[in-house]
Structure formats: C-alpha cells, structure tokens
C-alpha cells in the first residue's frame, strides 16, 4: 500500500506542478498588471462611481421588462452551451450590470442616435467627439472585461469611462448616422489599451501617400545607346561597396548603444480591449475598418495592434468569433452570415442558433422550448434614454479645459473654440529628442478670427514665422513668412492671385531685392526681379515721406513665357532694365532648331547727358544679334520705335515698383494692427457663444439703465435742494 501511495504521489506530482505553475504564473501576471496600471490610474483623477446619484434615472434603468427577462434567459442558455463546447475560451461579455446594479444585455445598451450637428453625420466627427469629450479610465483588471457597463447617458454626464463605455457610445452614434457599426470585445497591445501614443508618429506629421508617376506614353521614342561599360569593373565596384557597408554596420553595432527599445509586455495577447468595427457597404464605406475609441483614429483590420476578437454586437444581435486569432485579426473574415466563422446568438433568418447542443436527455424538453422561444424572439428596444448633447457641451468638449496628447518627439494640445482670446484651438510642438526638451517647430491652428488667420508655423531654429489665411482677407493674403514685422527684414507674401487684377501670387522682399511671381497674365509675364541700392545719407536725413526715403532702383528684370501667336524672334523671354547704367537688354525665345537666342542691347552714349524726352540712337550704342530675324528687325527705324516703347515701359515699371513697396508697407501695418487687436467673430451656428453675447448685452443694458436712473435721481435731488434754498431766501427777503 505504501508503495502504491508513493507511486500515486509520483504520478500526480507533474500535473500538480503544472497546475501550480500555471496558477502562480497567472497570479504574477495579475500582480504585474496591477503594478503597471497603478501608475495609469494614479495619473487619472480619482472618481468614485459608487457615489453617483441614480435616483433620478428612469424605471427602465432599475428594472427589467418581461421581454428583457426572456432575453437574459436565452443569453444564459447560449452561454452554457458555449462554455460546454468551448471550455478553453474566455467567458463572454453578455449581460453586465448597469449603474443601478441591474443585469442588462449588451445589445440593449446600444442606443442608436443621430445628433443634430453636421460633423456628427460622419464617422470621423463622431469618433473625434467621443475621444475628446470623455476621459479615459483603464480597466480595473487588464486581462478581464469589466463587471459593469453603464448607459451612454451616464457616461456623457460624468465625461469618463473605460474602453467599453467609449465603444458603446461611439457605436450608438455611428449606427444613428447610418453606419454598419459593431462593438468589439477582444485583445490589443499595451499601447492601445493604455492610450500610450509616445511611440507613434503624430497624424499631423504623416506625409500623404505618394502618387506613382505615370510612364512616358511615347513608347516609340528613340532610345539612344548607352556608353559601353565593363561588366567586370561593375561587379568589382559592387563587391567593394558591399564589403564597405558590412564593415560600417559592424562598426556601428560595436559603437552604437541600443536606444529606447520597447520592453516586452508580459501580458501581451491577454489585455482586454473594446473598439468599434465598421463594415463596408452602408454609407458608401469602401472597406471594413476599425476605430479606436480612445484616439478616434481608424485602423486597418490587418493592424498588428489588435490581437484577437472574442465577440461583437450591435443593437440587434450578438456574434461570437469562431476563427483562429493566433495571427491576430489580419486573417479574420468579417462575413457575419458565415456560420463557420461567426456564431450568431439569435438567428436572423427565423432559425435557431447553429451552435450544436450536447445536453443530457433529461433536458431535451427544456432545450426544445428554448429553441422555440429563440425562433420567435425579437430583440427588445434599448433601455437607455435618448442621448442628448447640448450646443454648449458640443462646442466645449474638453472637461479639463484642454487636452494634451504625447507622440513620438511631439506634443499636441487642443482647446475648445473661444477658450483663448486669440482663437487658438490646437498647437503641435515638434522636438528634436524623445525627452521633448529641444523644440524644432511649433504649429498652431486658429478658429473664428476676423483676420481669417487659421494656421501659424514657427521654426524655432531660424525663428521664421509663416501665417496662413483663408480666402476673403481684405488684402487677399494667403500666406506670410517673416521673422519680424519690421519692413525690409525679409518677407514672403503669397496672395490669392485669382482675386487680383495683376495675377500676382507671390512676392519676396528684402532690403536689397524684391521678386514677384505672376500667374495667368495676358502678357505672359511670370516673374519680375528688382535690385535696390543703398540709401544715401542725404536721403536718410530727408526721409519724411515714403518717396523721399525710397531705395534707389538699380536693375529690373522681367521674364516671360512663350507666346505661341508670335514668332520666336519677336517674343521676348527676358527683359533687363539697368536703371543706373541706363542699359536695356532684350533676350528672345528660341525656336525648336535654334541654339543661341536673339538679343538686343541699348547702351548709353558715353559723354552725353541723359534726358527723359530725348533718345539718341546710333549703331555705336546698339548691340544686336538676330540671326533668324527678317529685314525689318535690322532697320534702325524699327529699333528707334522699340527704344521709345522701352523707355515708356521703364518709367511705368518704376512706378509699379514703388507701388509694390507701398503695398508691402501697408500689409505690414495692417498685420501689426491685427495682431495687436485680435478680434473673434461669432459663428451663426455657435448657439452657446451667442447666448453668452446676449447675456452680456442684457447685463450691459441693465448697468446702463441703473446708471442713468442713478444720475436722474441725483439730478432731481440737486433740483430739490436748489428749490428749497430759493424758497428760503425768498422768505427771508
């Protein structure tokens, strides 16, 4: 007997050891998870959900109707079959407790609602509102779903919740907007579950996908032979480059230390998370995608951050995933009509659930009755009250005043509209290091500014500021780059050229030069470059007016596009006016077979005084090269007329340059005034702001009326005193 007992003990020891090791490992994981999540919970503000007032809630929150009780019975029966047939699977998230401690089926917690705001008709608007309006709370145990699921109305009231609360609210809004959306109970990475975006690139910094260049349609063009090269030499060079690269990699591996590698998560694959699934089809959604409710960002169904799915549900039904998730979600099929991939709880085709039953014979009658109930069962309406979001809540979604998001080498800050006096609603700071100590660039976005400024970029290394404006500015500004609003310190101004008569779209000005770019002009002018000289001491001393203090013009260059209606030797490409040297140079366009452009140069005669009303033309002061021109271009009379026209245009160009200088000064004055006196416009759709303005106006009118009544009373009192004094003097007299 003792030998048998010893043998039995020896046989049982490995199983006991395995079970003990597994239990110890799970206990360690739970302890590690509790320690890791303690920091997250400590960062979030403490809130006691047990102290919330539920007395004012409707009766549907506190009791279950008969139909809801039948639904819970069917759900329990489905859960029993599921645990019997799939004992290795985790428990389903079916009927948690609500805020009143009553069990509610998860599908009835979804309340489809369409809010009366334009942005809430699109998934991006709904997702951004939920992520901005609510404060994230981590799950109490990261590897198990919560024991309770509160109504979306309660979550909106207290503006906080876990991933399941976020998901149910977002899914309710998406279904109300017409999307085929579902709540998902599954598993995700630590970064997704804890809202850690410090390893991600900020969405504002992501570059748009590059469009592939189209191939040359002329496939029959002549291919010129390439210079012959030695294959032996090419192979030798390739081997040398390969060996050099290998040596460099070895040196880098020896010298470079590993920097900031993400540590391994001991709970990888076990962390519970909830998110939203949007199927293609409705609302012209081309492809199925996920939405992370914490961030409001969309993800592909093949994203490696989502590690598996247990179940999904909407306001009509509940589905259990029967597919293998060892490779994450990238191989999952989201065809919910496929019974091999998804087990439906309540059949939508008037059939019972496809989940096989292996119950004892004694329970066959109960099973048949349950299946008959399931065949004729209809999902009850949601027990949740109507979801309402006021205008004030919609326009001010941040409960703590602003929202801060940390990304990889970047920090994003968000404010509500009208929260800042300058209209600032968002700021993105880009850093050079992961510790966020050295700033590289700052981008700011504005709303409701009367000067129509909507974005500002600041380069912290060069201190270059670039302001961007919406269409409609009085000066037709589109962008303005500067380091200082002082004149002649380097300014680049872009205009909405379609609204300008001269077609100017960009102007760059410094103390010594000015360059203007044009688009769509009838004379085909596309660039004008002006060089300025230094001001003399006498000019600086005299400077009271702009003309007296103007910079001397040294040279004016103009560049023209090709005019197909003119011959090439009559179509000017470049025109140079050397104002001080009194030289005019013309360069014409080239024909297809030409190699050297035609030119004409008019020089000043040495030793002759310059007069505006006189032109002295001779073969000595005229240099021309027109090899392909006709005989009329070689005629001196033609050159004389041309020189007269150029003199007149030079005079007009000088005036245009002075006008451009005056316009730049006016722009700087206006911008300085706009920045000193920032004004915000109230949108006609901003109900909350208009109510505040109305209240302020009423209060101001009341104060004015009280002041006027006080002044009248004082005036009447003074009149009474003067009348009493007058009567007293009369009586004494």
């Amino acid at each position: 007997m003792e030998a048998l007992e010893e043998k039995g003990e020896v046989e049982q020891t490995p199983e006991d050891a395995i079970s003990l090791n597994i239990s110890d490992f799970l206990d360690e994981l739970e302890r590690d998870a509790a320690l890791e999540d303690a920091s997250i919970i400590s960062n979030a503000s403490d809130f006691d959900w047990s102290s919330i007032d539920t007395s004012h809630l409707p009766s549907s929150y506190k009791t279950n109707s008969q139909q809801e009780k039948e639904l819970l019975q069917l759900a329990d029966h489905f859960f029993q079959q599921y645990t019997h047939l799939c004992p290795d699977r985790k428990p389903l998230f079916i009927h948690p407790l609500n805020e009143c401690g009553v069990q509610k089926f998860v599908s009835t917690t979804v309340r489809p609602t369409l809010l009366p705001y334009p942005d809430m008709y699109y998934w991006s608007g709904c997702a951004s509102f939920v992520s901005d309006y609510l404060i994230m709370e981590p799950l109490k145990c990261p590897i198990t779903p919560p024991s309770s699921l509160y109504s979306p109305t309660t979550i909106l009231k207290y503006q906080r919740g876990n991933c399941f609360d976020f998901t149910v609210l977002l899914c309710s809004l998406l279904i109300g907007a017409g999307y085929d959306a579902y709540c998902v109970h599954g598993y995700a990475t630590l970064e997704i579950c804890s809202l850690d975006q410090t390893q991600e690139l900020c969405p504002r910094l992501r570059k748009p996908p590059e469009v592939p260049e189209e191939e040359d349609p002329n496939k029959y063009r002549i291919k010129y032979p390439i210079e012959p090269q030695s294959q032996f030499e090419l192979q030798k060079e390739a081997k040398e480059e390969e060996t050099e690269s290998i040596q460099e990699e070895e040196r880098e591996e020896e010298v470079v230390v590993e920097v900031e590698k993400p540590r391994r998560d001991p709970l990888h694959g076990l962390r519970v998370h909830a998110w939203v699934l949007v199927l293609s089809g409705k609302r012209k959604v081309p492809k199925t995608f996920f939405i992370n409710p914490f961030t409001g960002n969309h993800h592909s169904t093949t994203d490696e951050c989502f590690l598996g799915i247990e179940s999904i549900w909407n306001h009509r039904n509940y589905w259990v995933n029967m597919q293998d998730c060892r490779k994450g979600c990238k191989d999952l099929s989201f065809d919910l009509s496929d019974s091999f991939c998804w087990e439906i709880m309540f059949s939508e085709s008037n059939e019972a659930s496809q989940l096989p039953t292996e119950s004892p014979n004694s329970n066959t009658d109960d099973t048949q009755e349950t299946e008959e109930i399931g065949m004729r069962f209809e999902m009850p309406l949601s027990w949740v009250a109507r979801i309402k979001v006021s205008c004030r809540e919609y326009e001010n979604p941040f409960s703590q005043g602003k929202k801060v998001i940390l990304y990889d080498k970047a920090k994003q800050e968000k404010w509500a509209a009208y929260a800042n006096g300058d209209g600032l609603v968002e700021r993105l700071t880009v850093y050079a290091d992961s510790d966020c100590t050295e700033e590289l660039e700052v981008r700011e976005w504005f709303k409701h500014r009367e000067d129509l400024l909507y974005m500002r970029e600041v380069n912290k290394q060069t201190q270059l500021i670039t302001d961007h404006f919406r269409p409609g500015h009085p000066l037709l500004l589109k962008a303005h780059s500067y380091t200082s609003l002082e004149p002649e310190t380097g300014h680049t101004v872009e205009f909405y050229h379609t609204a300008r008569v001269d077609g100017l779209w960009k102007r760059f000005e410094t103390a010594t030069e000015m360059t203007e770019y044009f688009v769509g002009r009838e004379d085909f002018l596309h660039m004008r470059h002006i060089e300025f000289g230094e001001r003399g001491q006498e000019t600086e001393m005299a400077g009271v007016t702009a003309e007296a203090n103007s910079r001397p013009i040294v040279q004016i260059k103009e560049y023209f596009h090709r005019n197909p209606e003119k011959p090439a030797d009559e179509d000017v490409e470049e025109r140079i006016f050397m104002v001080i040297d009194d030289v005019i140079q013309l360069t014409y366009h080239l024909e297809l077979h030409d190699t050297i452009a035609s030119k004409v140069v008019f020089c000043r005669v040495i030793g002759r005084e310059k007069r505006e009303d006189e032109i002295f033309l001779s073969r000595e002061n005229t240099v021309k090269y027109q090899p392909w021109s006709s005989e009329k271009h070689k005629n001196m009379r033609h050159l004389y007329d041309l020189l007269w026209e150029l003199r007149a245009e030079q005079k007009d160009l000088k005036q245009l340059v002075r006008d451009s200088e005056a316009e730049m000064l006016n722009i700087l004055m206006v911008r300085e005034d706009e920045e000193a006196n920032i004004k915000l416009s109230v949108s006609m759709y901003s109900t909350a702001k208009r109510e505040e303005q109305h209240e302020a106006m009423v209060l101001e009118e009341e104060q004015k009326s009280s002041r006027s009544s006080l002044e009248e009373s004082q005036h009447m009192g003074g009149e009474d005193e003067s009348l009493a004094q007058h009567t007293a003097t009369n009586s004494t007299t």
Side-chain angles (χ1 to χ4, degrees), residues 364-378:
T364 54
D365 297 336
D366 298 337
T367 305
Q368 291 176 358
E369 291 177 1
T370 308
E371 289 179 355
E372 291 176 359
I373 294 173
M375 291 173 63
R376 62 176 184 269
F377 182 80
E378 292 183 1

Side-chain angles (χ1 to χ4, degrees), residues 369-404:
E369 291 177 1
T370 308
E371 289 179 355
E372 291 176 359
I373 294 173
M375 291 173 63
R376 62 176 184 269
F377 182 80
E378 292 183 1
M379 182 69 67
L381 297 176
S382 177
W383 54 273
V384 180
R386 183 180 177 184
I387 299 175
K388 297 180 181 179
V389 177
S390 65
C391 296
R392 191 181 298 273
E393 293 171 343
Y394 175 73
E395 294 172 2
N396 300 284
F398 308 112
S399 59
Q400 298 177 349
K402 74 173 184 177
K403 181 178 181 180
V404 180

